[in-house]
Amino acid sequence: MIRKAVLPVAGFGTRCLPASKAIPKEMITIVDRPVIQYVVEEAIAAGIREIVLVTSSNKNAIENHFDTHAELEASLEAKGKHELLAMIRGLVPDNVSIISIRQGVPLGLGHAVLCARPIIGDDEPFAVLLPDVLVDNSANQATDLAGMLAAYDQQQTAQLMVEEVDWEQVEKYGIVAPSGEAPAANESADLIRMVEKPKREAAPSNLAVIGRYALPNHIFSILAATPPGAGGEIQLTDALETLREQSGVQAYRMQGTTYDCGQPLGYLEATLAYARRHPEFGEGFQALLSRYHQGE
Ligand code: G1P
């Protein structure tokens, strides 16, 4: 079972400025918690027990969010606010550890993943979750991440989570070419090619890599030997192409809904989707929505 996950959180988040000037984009709030908390919850729900945050100098707020806040806890305790205290203490369950390591220079996603090598070690496979993307499985029986990790276990082959996107959107994503038919939901298919952000005419399909990966440990050696690619950066997609040639890579077709919280319209949509069904604020939020709707 894959128990370790890498979350690369070192990027500047220029698409979220000015919100992301003094706080990391991963700390932007969706309803009542920061984006990164949803991603950590997703990982834990799928059985991940060790989370490696690959950070940079201006990302302390993320580390603080998952650390103990002794003063706050003492104050809540003194005031008898036990529910809040339990909630704050429960953000990271006792059997989960969150460890961070710095990516000192912005040399790309592949480089960020490689930075986690000293913590992940040289034996185990691991997952990568890009924290811009929220995966909403509220309408499904099981989570897509759990399904993909189980597929890795069964197939012992790298898995990339994919979803169908509009053809106009293919140039924003890594796009995969399955060897035969596109896989059905919750199923995997072998890949014959991957292309990073192709023009629509050059895209082999409209199946996009959404930022959830299950990878063999060997990807580290490949990344270490991968030369800089597009933008002078070490690209994870280039290393995955080498891995595919060596031992195969599969696309795992997800079932849920994604929200790209690396840009304002994406996190606004996530806010709408999550707030409407929130146990505490949902009803009030729906009332607000209809009031604004009537005011159009
Ligand atoms: C990265 C990956 C790309 C993937 C995307 C998903 O790109 O390189 O293959 O489709 O994440 O969000 P980025 O969005 O970091 O440019």
Side-chain angles (χ1 to χ4, degrees):
M1 269 301 283
I2 292 187
R3 293 285 181 206
K4 298 183 178 179
V6 177
L7 276 57
V9 294
F12 280 134
T14 39
R15 288 184 301 162
C16 294
L17 284 168
S20 56
K21 186 170 172 231
I23 61 158
K25 64 174 174 181
E26 295 82 5
M27 291 302 291
I28 289 174
T29 306
I30 309 292
V31 192
D32 60 354
R33 66 200 64 196
V35 171
I36 187 76
Q37 192 179 323
Y38 290 93
V39 181
V40 164
E41 285 167 0
E42 176 193 353
I44 294 172
I48 298 294
R49 293 294 171 261
E50 192 170 299
I51 292 172
V52 183
L53 300 170
V54 181
T55 71
S56 59
S57 58
N58 54 347
K59 300 280 180 156
N60 293 345
I62 301 177
E63 290 161 335
N64 292 345
H65 185 73
F66 294 108
D67 196 3
T68 308
H69 190 329
E71 268 175 291
L72 173 64
E73 289 185 16
S75 155
L76 292 174
E77 188 129 49
K79 290 180 182 146
K81 300 196 169 174
H82 300 297
E83 261 180 47
L84 275 180
L85 185 62
M87 187 257 278
I88 291 294
R89 285 190 174 149
L91 283 189
V92 183
D94 288 342
N95 59 354
V96 173
S97 37
I98 301 197
I99 303 160
S100 59
I101 191 162
R102 292 267 179 105
Q103 181 188 23
V105 277
L107 292 181
L109 178 59
H111 177 254
V113 172
L114 188 54
C115 287
R117 187 178 195 175
I119 304 180
I120 299 286
D122 284 329
D123 312 313
E124 286 178 62
F126 59 97
V128 174
L129 284 78
L130 305 188
D132 276 357
V133 179
L134 291 189
V135 176
D136 181 359
N137 283 123
S138 56
N140 310 125
Q141 291 201 324
T143 72
D144 284 310
L145 186 61
M148 185 178 78
L149 298 186
Y152 181 92
D153 261 4
Q154 261 174 16
Q155 315 276 340
Q156 293 296 310
T157 303
Q159 304 286 320
L160 316 183
M161 198 181 288
V162 298
E163 73 172 344
E164 222 173 325
V165 296
D166 289 342
W167 282 94
E168 288 70 41
Q169 303 287 319
V170 291
E171 58 190 64
K172 286 171 43 189
Y173 297 96
I175 298 294
V176 302
S179 62
E181 293 283 295
N186 302 128
E187 283 182 16
S188 301
D190 287 324
L191 297 183
I192 49 165
R193 200 151 68 91
M194 284 164 285
V195 204
E196 183 65 12
K197 306 191 174 83
K199 292 263 171 267
R200 183 186 168 143
E201 313 77 67
S205 79
N206 61 343
L207 289 175
V209 174
I210 63 100
R212 300 291 183 270
Y213 310 80
L215 302 174
N217 195 276
H218 178 55
I219 195 75
F220 283 139
S221 325
I222 297 177
L223 280 167
T226 300
E233 297 182 338
I234 297 172
Q235 298 290 346
L236 181 59
T237 303
D238 292 346
L240 289 172
E241 183 55 23
T242 308
L243 179 70
R244 190 194 61 74
E245 285 162 10
Q246 291 179 359
S247 51
V249 169
Q250 296 184 333
Y252 178 85
R253 177 91 169 257
M254 62 178 293
Q255 213 183 359
T257 308
T258 58
Y259 301 100
D260 177 9
C261 295
Q263 45 112 5
L265 267 181
Y267 64 70
L268 288 172
E269 190 186 356
T271 304
L272 276 174
Y274 287 68
R276 285 186 337 168
R277 59 165 197 258
H278 190 280
E280 190 179 344
F281 309 120
E283 218 173 291
F285 186 74
Q286 303 241 23
L288 281 175
L289 277 181
S290 40
R291 187 170 1 123
Y292 275 81
H293 196 63
Q294 281 156 15
E296 266 175 11

